[in-house]
Amino acid sequence: MTTATTPRRSAAVLLIPLLAGGLVMVVLGVYGRLHTPTGFAVGPAGFSGALPMKAWLTTGALVLAVVQVVSALSMWGKLRIEIPAWVHRWSGRLAFLLTVPVAFHCLYALGLQYDVPRVMVHSLLGCFFYGIFTAKMLALPKRGLPGWSLPVLGGLAFTVLVGLWLTSAFWFFTTIGIKV
């Protein structure tokens, strides 16, 4: 009888992080939609403008996210190389920090937009990214999680970040050009 309830109980442990992540997604989306965009937010320190700043910071976050995937594969024993756990922790922290000024600028200066399909997808992916990130961070210290939960949440965060990069930095670099 305990073996039948164990998977259910371990999945229930994941419920609170997922609900919190869902709440973050909704709050960001509602704020982004209801907030009147200001047109400006973060000074692009060292960059020629806000768009190049956002494109380069997002690119840096994507590079660090690749480090996250490789180091996670190493930690889970899927690679023949051993990467220290601190590489995974610090690359994740730095990647997240790089996204904060980008997200702040997007939400505060631009809001959640749905007029242009690329921008709508980007806006929704941004909300989803922070929701998934919240769920993953809240799930990390939990004991008794299903073994698939952290790889799935991490994989979703990486996939969504790739989508964000494609709908922003990649678009910027291929449409506007490479600028600093």
Side-chain angles (χ1 to χ4, degrees):
M1 187 125 165
T2 56
T3 57
T5 59
T6 302
R8 230 183 254 159
R9 183 175 176 164
S10 64
V13 173
L14 191 57
L15 187 61
I16 289 176
L18 289 175
L19 288 173
L23 181 63
V24 167
M25 281 187 254
V26 170
V27 166
L28 288 175
V30 168
Y31 174 79
R33 194 66 207 132
L34 295 179
H35 166 73
T36 303
T38 63
F40 65 92
V42 179
F47 295 94
S48 61
L51 286 178
M53 175 199 68
K54 290 168 38 176
W56 285 108
L57 290 179
T58 303
T59 300
L62 181 66
V63 168
L64 289 167
V66 170
V67 172
Q68 281 276 284
V69 170
V70 172
S71 60
L73 288 170
S74 172
M75 287 171 31
W76 287 82
K78 302 296 181 189
L79 298 178
R80 293 180 185 214
I81 58 171
E82 197 169 314
I83 298 173
W86 65 265
V87 171
H88 186 76
R89 285 190 298 271
W90 279 99
S91 62
R93 289 172 182 154
L94 291 173
F96 176 77
L97 286 175
L98 288 178
T99 69
V100 171
V102 176
F104 177 76
H105 184 275
C106 288
L107 275 173
Y108 190 72
L110 306 172
L112 191 142
Q113 299 179 17
Y114 57 84
D115 300 339
V116 177
R118 177 192 62 81
V119 177
M120 179 188 68
V121 168
H122 181 75
S123 294
L124 295 174
L125 285 174
C127 295
F128 190 63
F129 173 77
Y130 281 97
I132 290 296
F133 182 81
T134 299
K136 182 178 183 245
M137 291 301 105
L138 291 175
L140 277 173
K142 299 259 184 216
R143 299 278 186 236
L145 285 174
W148 53 264
S149 58
L150 290 178
V152 167
L153 291 171
L156 276 172
F158 176 76
T159 303
V160 171
L161 187 59
V162 169
L164 283 166
W165 183 82
L166 288 170
T167 57
S168 62
F170 179 75
W171 171 86
F172 177 81
F173 293 140
T174 58
T175 304
I176 309 295
I178 299 195
K179 295 182 180 189
V180 180

